[in-house]
Amino acid sequence: MKRFKPTLSHLSRRTFLQATAALGGASALGLRGAYAQEPEKPAEIIVRAWGGSWVDSLKAGVSDSFTKMTGIAVRHDLTEDNEIQPKVWAAVAQNRVPPIHINWDTTTNATKSALRGVTEDLSDLPNLANVTDLAKPAGLEGFPIVNTYGYVYVLAYRPEAFPDGPPKSWKDLLDPKFKGRLAFYNDGIGFHFPAQVAGGGKLEDIPGNMQPAWDFITKMKAQQPLLGEDPDFTTWFQNGEIDAACTISTNAREARKNGVKIEWVVPEEGAKFDTDGLWIPKGLPENELYWAKQYINHALTKEAQQVWLDGLGLPGVVPGLTPPKDLVGDPSYPTTEADFQRLIRISSKIQVENESEWFSKFKAIMQG
Amino acid sequence: MRAARTAYPLKWRIMDALEDVAAAIWPARFRRATPYLMLLPAVLLVGLLALGLIQIADTSLRTLDTTTFQFSDDYSITNFRRALTEPLFLVVAQRSLIAALIVTAVTLVFAFPYAYLMVRTRSPGLRKFLLIALFLPFFIGQVVRAYGWLIILGNQGMVNEALGLVGVAPMRLIYNYPAVLFGLVQYMLPFAVLMLAPALTAIPEELEAAAGSLGANWVRTFIHVVLPLARPGFIGAGVVVLTLSLTDFAVPAILGGGSQDFIANAIYDQFFRTSDQGLGATLALMLVALGSILVGLVFALFGAGTLAMGRSRA
């Protein structure tokens, strides 16, 4: 590992400025004893991200300010999270340098990587001292992942399609007038748990008995919903293809920003709450690992979280963040205990161990 | 000096030098093996495919442990049992197979008149137009074309807007099985025309003229002369369209609205959505087997058509 350690005899103006800037940056990042121990900076670090407003928000909140402080460029790799996973796993298995420095991932997907043992431990990040419990991945040792915010799979709808007022229940979507006008994720993610409640089942029965969920999803299948991914929902709302969808509130908010009349609710059965996080794959050179950790550490500062999550419209893991004006009191931006009681949160461990079966079951119903 | 150069030009000297180099690399005593050398690229290609298949076969026999997300060290047929018993995979396989057969039949029906007109027309302008129209789609990727159909056939697309002008309410023209079939036929048409055209070119026009002079109308000429002689083209085109349709991914994904998956989409899900590469590899092997059986069946029943390069039974 090379270390940046200028001596007085070689101290030029440029070196002095670089060291000062690095010290300033290191202080802002909360590094311990950074001066004279800072490893060599890579030309860039690569962060896998989701596209559209997701990456724009990350860039504005975290990447640009990180580059400004450290001088390290940040490249965003927009490979799908599901597609980067096998590449990273293969690289680690073959002792190759992984294709990315940081993976911005769903906590469920990231937990799979942690269980497989391909994630670096992040317990030593100084800013973890200032985060809420939401940042800690449940059921895992240490911090192989750091959760950075939460999100809600809301029921988003076009107000014109609901002239009698907002939908109160997921069951409202079974109205025949919505046939062909609904959308869900193509693996059913976000909908399994509310469907369990809407189908008359109990959340405590997950994963042992999810028949109520499958029965309700079977009823929903008769409505011939569209099945897609994040970008599809925004497009479908914009193109007037759908009236309602179970989607992450960020996608609905993005459609609204683009001029589409759209609202969202957390129905009486509840809505799934989940988290996304950042993690670092094993196999990076030590200096790159160091700077990748500093990137995540920076993402946990209040300033970075405020800008990043204002863009996404999601609640972060640092206390004292201010909700965006349009989301104050919004159910998709839970801040109080009462807000969280309306949401459904199932442990990552249960989700990871059963997700494959749930996806297959949902697909079997929808493809049948 | 000038005379000598004329007698033995520079390019001859270059050719001599090249021959010397070739003789050093591949001496004359190896000449009998030269035809086999020509096979080397094919052997390399097939060898790489075979190695890949062996790797996939190995993966298909390992099961995923969802507590560690590692694959088992020992072999089992669990994935094959799942693939053959879970309703999802049976539905998807059935849908893919039926679609491949329908798309092949419809594409050949549309491709034949196009290819026939392109080959037989006396107008060079029309032939050029048909050729350009044939090759233009190759410059536009499959995904872009599928998205093009979303724009044209969507709820706010051109077709629905046109229908709206005559008072017809917007209707769902995409995100269903017929839309997937339509997209596939449109994608496959150029391939089929390209495979049919050489077979039609090989039919002497005099045969059709002779049939006419013996009293056959154009229908009888078409049925008894053109169609039988075009059979190698139909077989070649049919095999290509059948296999490409059976294994397609993008068109069902984009035009199917998520509910019209083909086998390739199910394979993708296993590899990238549930991280179960073992089951994904199993489905991939079964798709290869299904495609191979279908092609083998066609070859056994009808010969290899234009794919036999003139050695067909036809």
Side-chain angles (χ1 to χ4, degrees):
Chain A
M1 181 177 71
K2 287 187 180 178
R3 288 174 189 274
F4 177 70
K5 195 174 182 181
T7 59
L8 277 176
S9 59
H10 293 95
L11 191 64
S12 65
R13 179 176 171 275
R14 177 180 290 270
T15 317
F16 174 76
L17 288 173
Q18 280 177 339
T20 311
L23 182 61
S27 305
L29 290 169
L31 305 188
R32 287 171 293 202
Y35 185 64
Q37 292 180 9
E38 204 171 69
E40 183 189 18
K41 291 177 181 176
E44 64 172 11
I45 59 170
I46 304 166
V47 181
R48 192 221 71 82
W50 290 283
S53 60
W54 294 82
V55 71
D56 292 343
S57 304
L58 182 75
K59 185 174 182 300
V62 186
S63 301
D64 286 350
S65 48
F66 178 79
T67 300
K68 195 177 173 186
M69 281 191 287
T70 62
I72 299 172
V74 178
R75 178 149 61 95
H76 299 105
D77 179 335
L78 302 185
T79 306
E80 266 296 305
D81 54 340
N82 295 320
E83 291 173 12
I84 203 74
Q85 187 187 64
K87 292 181 184 178
V88 171
W89 288 8
V92 175
Q94 294 161 9
N95 291 319
R96 286 188 283 113
V97 175
I100 52 170
H101 291 91
I102 294 158
N103 198 1
W104 182 15
D105 208 351
T106 64
T107 298
T108 306
N109 255 353
T111 301
K112 292 179 189 174
S113 294
L115 290 170
R116 195 178 159 96
V118 302
T119 55
E120 290 282 359
D121 181 38
L122 304 172
S123 304
D124 57 349
L125 297 185
N127 286 339
L128 283 177
N130 311 319
V131 297
T132 63
D133 287 346
L134 197 61
K136 173 88 175 76
L140 293 171
E141 287 289 314
F143 276 91
I145 314 153
V146 176
N147 295 330
T148 45
Y149 56 83
Y151 54 90
V152 181
Y153 290 88
V154 294
L155 195 173
Y157 63 97
R158 290 193 318 114
E160 295 99 326
F162 293 83
D164 300 332
K168 292 182 175 62
S169 163
W170 292 101
K171 293 175 198 164
D172 293 348
L173 302 185
L174 296 175
D175 188 323
K177 73 176 180 181
F178 296 124
K179 191 167 188 175
R181 305 286 303 166
L182 306 173
F184 297 92
Y185 285 95
N186 52 20
D187 47 21
I189 195 164
F191 191 56
H192 303 132
F193 308 147
Q196 170 82 353
V197 181
K202 294 177 182 172
L203 292 174
E204 303 86 81
D205 290 341
I206 295 173
N209 173 22
M210 290 185 65
Q211 195 53 45
W214 308 134
D215 290 343
F216 188 71
I217 289 167
T218 303
K219 284 182 190 170
M220 199 60 80
K221 198 271 190 226
Q223 292 289 70
Q224 299 177 357
L226 300 186
L227 305 171
E229 305 272 0
D230 281 322
D232 296 324
F233 294 100
T234 309
T235 308
W236 288 336
F237 272 121
Q238 283 175 342
N239 294 344
E241 299 281 354
I242 55 173
D243 292 328
C246 172
T247 185
I248 296 173
S249 57
T250 305
N251 300 320
R253 189 169 176 246
E254 184 64 14
R256 187 157 73 182
K257 280 182 184 171
N258 292 345
V260 180
K261 282 184 184 170
I262 188 170
E263 301 290 340
W264 53 86
V265 292
V266 171
E268 60 193 20
E269 296 91 349
K272 185 188 176 190
F273 178 83
D274 216 331
T275 50
D276 285 346
L278 299 171
W279 59 277
I280 300 173
K282 283 184 175 171
L284 291 175
E286 282 203 41
N287 65 318
E288 294 179 25
L289 170 62
Y290 174 88
W291 288 108
K293 282 187 172 182
Q294 300 326 310
Y295 181 92
I296 296 180
N297 196 50
H298 175 56
L300 296 174
T301 59
K302 190 177 173 186
E303 296 73 23
Q305 285 248 308
Q306 186 69 62
V307 179
W308 179 18
L309 302 178
D310 273 359
L312 296 178
L314 299 173
V317 295
V318 177
L321 295 175
T322 311
K325 280 180 187 171
D326 61 319
L327 295 176
V328 174
D330 192 287
S332 70
Y333 198 102
T335 50
T336 65
E337 190 58 36
D339 293 337
F340 278 100
Q341 278 178 358
R342 298 177 61 195
L343 303 173
I344 303 170
R345 196 172 181 202
I346 302 292
S347 86
S348 293
K349 186 172 182 294
I350 290 177
Q351 291 195 57
V352 163
E353 288 180 358
N354 296 279
E355 190 187 67
S356 176
E357 189 188 329
W358 295 341
F359 286 179
S360 294
K361 190 77 184 171
F362 182 87
K363 284 243 166 190
I365 293 169
M366 288 298 176
Q367 297 286 333
Chain B
M1 199 61 181
R2 187 172 294 172
R5 277 186 182 170
T6 308
Y8 207 73
L10 179 63
K11 62 183 176 185
W12 290 15
R13 292 168 201 271
I14 293 171
M15 291 303 293
D16 285 350
L18 288 174
E19 277 188 5
D20 289 344
V21 171
I25 295 170
W26 193 254
R29 62 179 181 279
F30 294 166
R31 192 161 293 163
R32 292 184 64 182
T34 301
Y36 296 100
L37 188 68
M38 302 294 179
L39 283 175
L40 194 60
V43 169
L44 279 174
L45 185 65
V46 174
L48 281 174
L49 284 172
L51 280 176
L53 276 177
I54 290 168
Q55 181 70 43
I56 289 174
D58 181 88
T59 308
S60 72
L61 293 168
R62 298 180 189 278
T63 50
L64 181 71
D65 178 354
T66 56
T67 58
T68 61
F69 278 83
Q70 301 278 358
F71 287 96
S72 62
D73 290 329
D74 51 333
Y75 292 129
S76 80
I77 58 164
T78 307
N79 291 326
F80 286 89
R81 194 179 297 123
R82 283 186 64 190
L84 290 170
T85 56
E86 289 191 11
L88 169 64
F89 303 125
L90 298 178
V91 166
V92 165
Q94 189 182 29
R95 178 184 296 139
S96 309
L97 186 57
I98 291 173
L101 294 171
I102 293 172
V103 168
T104 303
V106 175
T107 304
L108 290 181
V109 167
F110 281 108
F112 181 82
Y114 192 108
Y116 188 82
L117 184 61
M118 194 173 74
V119 167
R120 288 286 190 255
T121 181
R122 308 247 176 243
S123 162
L126 179 61
R127 183 175 294 114
K128 278 180 191 164
F129 170 77
L130 292 172
L131 275 169
I132 290 168
L134 179 67
F135 280 102
L136 206 57
F138 283 110
F139 301 122
I140 307 165
Q142 187 188 12
V143 173
V144 176
R145 269 194 273 172
Y147 274 111
W149 286 120
L150 292 186
I151 295 167
I152 294 167
L153 300 175
N155 263 22
Q156 296 176 351
M158 291 158 60
V159 172
N160 267 317
E161 280 190 10
L163 289 172
L165 293 176
V166 293
V168 178
M171 59 178 81
R172 174 57 54 77
L173 300 171
I174 46 175
Y175 305 134
N176 49 39
Y177 196 47
V180 174
L181 298 180
F182 175 79
L184 281 172
V185 168
Q186 193 264 345
Y187 175 60
M188 299 298 166
L189 201 61
F191 291 102
V193 172
L194 278 180
M195 297 296 290
L196 273 169
L200 294 177
T201 309
I203 302 172
E205 280 187 72
E206 293 81 358
L207 286 181
E208 291 171 60
S213 69
L214 292 171
N217 59 22
W218 72 268
V219 177
R220 292 190 70 189
T221 303
F222 177 74
I223 293 171
H224 294 291
V225 177
V226 179
L227 273 186
L229 290 173
R231 196 173 81 157
F234 277 112
I235 294 166
V239 165
V240 168
V241 172
L242 185 77
T243 49
L244 288 179
S245 303
L246 184 69
T247 56
D248 200 68
F249 174 86
V251 171
I254 296 170
L255 292 179
S259 59
Q260 305 297 332
D261 282 1
F262 279 21
I263 303 175
N265 306 94
I267 293 170
Y268 175 92
D269 282 346
Q270 297 309 321
F271 270 97
F272 298 111
R273 207 177 293 281
T274 65
S275 312
D276 195 345
Q277 295 176 13
L279 186 54
T282 303
L283 294 174
L285 273 187
M286 293 175 86
L287 178 58
V288 170
L290 179 62
S292 303
I293 289 169
L294 282 176
V295 172
L297 207 61
V298 171
F299 284 0
L301 291 174
F302 307 112
T306 48
L307 299 175
M309 304 296 172
R311 293 173 189 275
S312 146
R313 292 188 319 180

